[in-house]
Amino acid sequence: MTTQTAIDNFVNRCRTLGLSVTPQRLAIFKALIDDHSHPRPEDIYKKIKAEHPTISLATIYKTLETFEKHGIVSVVTHLHNTVRYDPITEPHHHVVCVKCNKIIDVIDPSLNTIKVPEHILQGNELLGYSIHFNVICSECRLKETN
Amino acid sequence: MTTQTAIDNFVNRCRTLGLSVTPQRLAIFKALIDDHSHPRPEDIYKKIKAEHPTISLATIYKTLETFEKHGIVSVVTHLHNTVRYDPITEPHHHVVCVKCNKIIDVIDPSLNTIKVPEHILQGNELLGYSIHFNVICSECRLKETN
DNA sequence: TTATTAATTAATAATTGTTATCCAATAATA
DNA sequence: TATTATTGGATAACAATTATTAATTAATAA
Ligand SMILES: [Mn+2]
Ligand SMILES: [Mn+2]
Ligand SMILES: [Zn+2]
Ligand SMILES: [Zn+2]
């Protein structure tokens, strides 16, 4: 998909969702669409400031949250707000509730035999891998306003 | 392994590493060893304050970092310091450098066919899963002081 | 044991990342 | 056009983390 097509899709998507396509939103989307560095809000802010000198960081945060809510962009992990410590040091996996950030262990040896793509091992030292099963947990499902 | 055995191992481990076994360190370790909630430093602080009213939150942070450095405890993700946005909304995976927090996409359909353990689906709504390949990247390996 | 040095802790300040508030500006709708 | 809803900007507030520094404690060598 070309960048222009992606932008057109974005515009249509916003209209369908009832979100107005403001210059700020367009700028933020454009800043992200071809950026594969998984930038922080701050990074996007810096990229945009030249064209939009008056935009505030809070707008970037709010806009990205709106985008994420509607599936226009995604976040790499929902566990980005605070460190979470684990007494288990052996490789294992986790169920993560994206609403309440509850974390449950998944200890299942069959998940430790994944075929690691070769290119990951080129130059990097692999320490291990861990699977995040992203869920809305039963408690949070009950709380949801349907 | 019993809790007492774990504590004994911890004490021996510290001695081997040349870390002194202080009451604070012991208390922090004990607070974590049987806690499977993947607590935040703040949670551990609250648990400990009754017995150790003078301990400071900064000590908790530093001690946990020391423990993690020596493999006594682990962190659920190293990407806990800030949100990272992604223009890709399709399921995919990531290489994460635990030193510099660089994130590289891993798009490999063969990794999207993992057998999800049944119990994860009980009550929870599964949104998807994503694998974090934790590495020390080539750049960071060069920087390391060996 | 005591003196010396190194390591650890506590208190606190500073910084960073994020969210809330409030008002003005803009856009959508009647 | 008038009305209402949405959005954005400025700023303050808050939460998480890190840095600084001095006091305390522990380790080690006379
Ligand atoms: Mn765990
Ligand atoms: Mn990605
Ligand atoms: Zn939940
Ligand atoms: Zn790196």
Side-chain angles (χ1 to χ4, degrees):
Chain A
M1 179 160 40
T2 71
T3 302
Q4 189 52 54
T5 311
I7 292 171
D8 293 345
N9 286 352
F10 167 72
V11 172
N12 290 330
R13 190 79 187 283
C14 284
R15 289 194 178 133
T16 305
L17 292 164
L19 295 175
S20 40
V21 183
T22 63
Q24 294 84 350
R25 283 181 174 166
L26 202 50
I28 292 167
F29 182 77
K30 281 190 199 167
L32 195 52
I33 187 64
D34 283 324
D35 185 339
H36 290 169
S37 72
H38 305 82
R40 302 165 298 152
E42 178 76 31
D43 298 324
I44 294 171
Y45 182 53
K46 283 176 188 156
K47 268 178 87 169
I48 288 182
K49 248 195 310 200
E51 293 181 73
H52 292 262
T54 70
I55 202 168
S56 89
L57 187 54
T59 298
I60 309 273
Y61 271 93
K62 275 189 290 190
T63 303
L64 288 169
E65 269 166 33
T66 303
F67 286 177
E68 206 253 330
K69 191 173 85 186
H70 291 103
I72 294 169
V73 302
S74 66
V75 292
V76 176
T77 173
H78 286 86
L79 299 175
H80 51 71
N81 45 342
T82 176
V83 218
R84 302 286 293 263
Y85 281 96
D86 197 328
I88 301 179
T89 53
E90 291 80 38
H92 66 290
H93 311 287
H94 294 106
V95 176
V96 176
C97 176
V98 303
K99 297 285 182 191
C100 67
N101 285 3
K102 180 166 49 194
I103 302 172
I104 311 279
D105 285 318
V106 176
I107 295 172
D108 183 331
S110 77
L111 297 173
N112 296 336
T113 58
I114 284 170
K115 174 103 189 72
V116 177
E118 270 303 319
H119 68 90
I120 293 176
L121 305 169
Q122 307 301 320
N124 300 319
E125 179 187 348
L126 181 66
L127 304 177
Y129 58 81
S130 118
I131 309 172
H132 294 227
F133 295 95
N134 296 311
V135 304
I136 301 174
C137 78
S138 37
E139 287 82 0
C140 288
R141 287 177 72 190
L142 291 172
K143 276 178 218 149
E144 275 185 356
T145 52
N146 290 318
Chain B
M1 179 159 44
T2 70
T3 302
Q4 189 51 54
T5 310
I7 293 170
D8 292 346
N9 286 352
F10 167 73
V11 171
N12 290 329
R13 191 81 188 284
C14 284
R15 287 189 179 137
T16 306
L17 293 164
L19 295 175
S20 40
V21 183
T22 64
Q24 292 85 349
R25 283 181 174 165
L26 202 50
I28 293 167
F29 182 77
K30 281 189 197 165
L32 195 51
I33 188 64
D34 284 324
D35 185 339
H36 290 169
S37 71
H38 305 82
R40 302 165 301 152
E42 180 76 32
D43 299 323
I44 293 171
Y45 181 54
K46 283 176 189 156
K47 270 179 85 169
I48 288 182
K49 246 194 311 199
E51 294 181 73
H52 291 263
T54 69
I55 202 167
S56 88
L57 188 53
T59 298
I60 310 273
Y61 271 92
K62 274 188 293 189
T63 302
L64 287 169
E65 269 166 33
T66 303
F67 286 176
E68 206 252 330
K69 191 172 85 185
H70 291 101
I72 293 170
V73 303
S74 66
V75 291
V76 176
T77 173
H78 285 85
L79 299 176
H80 53 70
N81 44 341
T82 176
V83 218
R84 301 287 293 263
Y85 280 95
D86 197 328
I88 301 178
T89 53
E90 292 81 37
H92 66 291
H93 310 285
H94 294 106
V95 176
V96 176
C97 176
V98 303
K99 297 284 182 194
C100 67
N101 284 5
K102 180 165 51 194
I103 302 173
I104 310 280
D105 285 319
V106 176
I107 295 172
D108 183 333
S110 76
L111 297 174
N112 296 337
T113 58
I114 284 172
K115 173 103 190 73
V116 178
E118 269 304 318
H119 69 90
I120 292 176
L121 305 169
Q122 308 300 321
N124 301 318
E125 179 188 349
L126 182 67
L127 304 177
Y129 58 82
S130 121
I131 308 172
H132 295 228
F133 295 95
N134 296 309
V135 304
I136 301 174
C137 79
S138 38
E139 285 82 359
C140 288
R141 287 177 73 190
L142 291 173
K143 277 179 217 148
E144 276 186 355
T145 53
N146 291 318

